Amino acid sequence: AGTGEPSAEEQAALAAEDPLTAVRVLSALRARAFEQGSTELLAWVNQEGSAAQAADQAQLARLEERGERLAGFGVEVLQASAAERDGPGGPPAGAARIHVSAQLSGWQQVRADGTEAAPAGSPVRQDVLLEMVRVEGQWRIAAVLPAAASLDRRGEAER
């Protein structure tokens, strides 16, 4: 596979029935897209026309305008679990909500010639809720919400 597309193993994970299998691959592909400055790779991560796609493309475009990329950017998924839905039934067919806790590496913003554009950041832990959909038989991210967006009504009553 070229740099603009996932490996056969990664594509198989994106096509798996279980969205939890796809989450780790989607996270890795997104990190690689930012590290390489690859919009082609990003197209494998987010649903076309989604808020997630718009946000990532804008961020990548800003880096590209400055001729920069995120060297050493990596995402390790520490935990992923299906989120409970409010109301009867689960998510519609071909959709899922996944809680993800991830560790983002301390990456460095570098110019095309490899010189540092911004000092390396510290590793950051991130907790989010991913809205995922199947597009042509493969999982994609439709939206990235704060983890708090998934708090169910029972938790509110106890406060």
Side-chain angles (χ1 to χ4, degrees):
T3 54
E5 68 176 44
S7 68
E9 293 83 8
E10 288 170 330
Q11 289 188 42
L14 294 180
E17 283 300 310
D18 185 359
L20 294 176
T21 304
V23 162
R24 292 174 194 281
V25 171
L26 288 167
S27 296
L29 290 176
R30 183 174 178 271
R32 219 156 68 220
F34 276 100
E35 194 174 35
Q36 297 173 3
S38 170
T39 50
E40 296 85 8
L41 211 45
L42 207 51
W44 288 85
V45 177
N46 298 314
Q47 179 189 18
E48 184 74 33
S50 68
Q53 181 194 42
D56 276 354
Q57 283 187 331
Q59 199 173 351
L60 205 56
R62 281 194 297 274
L63 287 167
E64 198 175 5
E65 277 168 25
R66 296 194 300 257
E68 296 169 5
R69 60 187 181 81
L70 303 182
F73 182 58
V75 178
E76 181 191 356
V77 174
L78 304 173
Q79 206 174 355
S81 60
E84 296 299 317
R85 271 279 211 236
D86 285 337
R97 295 180 74 166
I98 307 293
H99 284 290
V100 176
S101 288
Q103 183 79 27
L104 279 58
S105 65
W107 67 90
Q108 197 177 10
Q109 215 163 299
V110 297
R111 298 179 188 91
D113 64 3
T115 59
E116 183 179 271
S122 302
V124 177
R125 185 173 164 146
Q126 194 177 53
D127 294 298
V128 295
L129 178 70
L130 297 181
E131 296 264 1
M132 295 173 59
V133 293
R134 281 178 83 77
V135 177
E136 294 171 12
Q138 295 192 327
W139 289 105
R140 298 284 188 266
I141 297 170
V144 181
L145 307 169
S150 66
L151 292 176
D152 65 1
R153 312 239 184 282
R154 289 172 307 199
E156 292 176 6
E158 293 166 14
R159 275 191 263 160

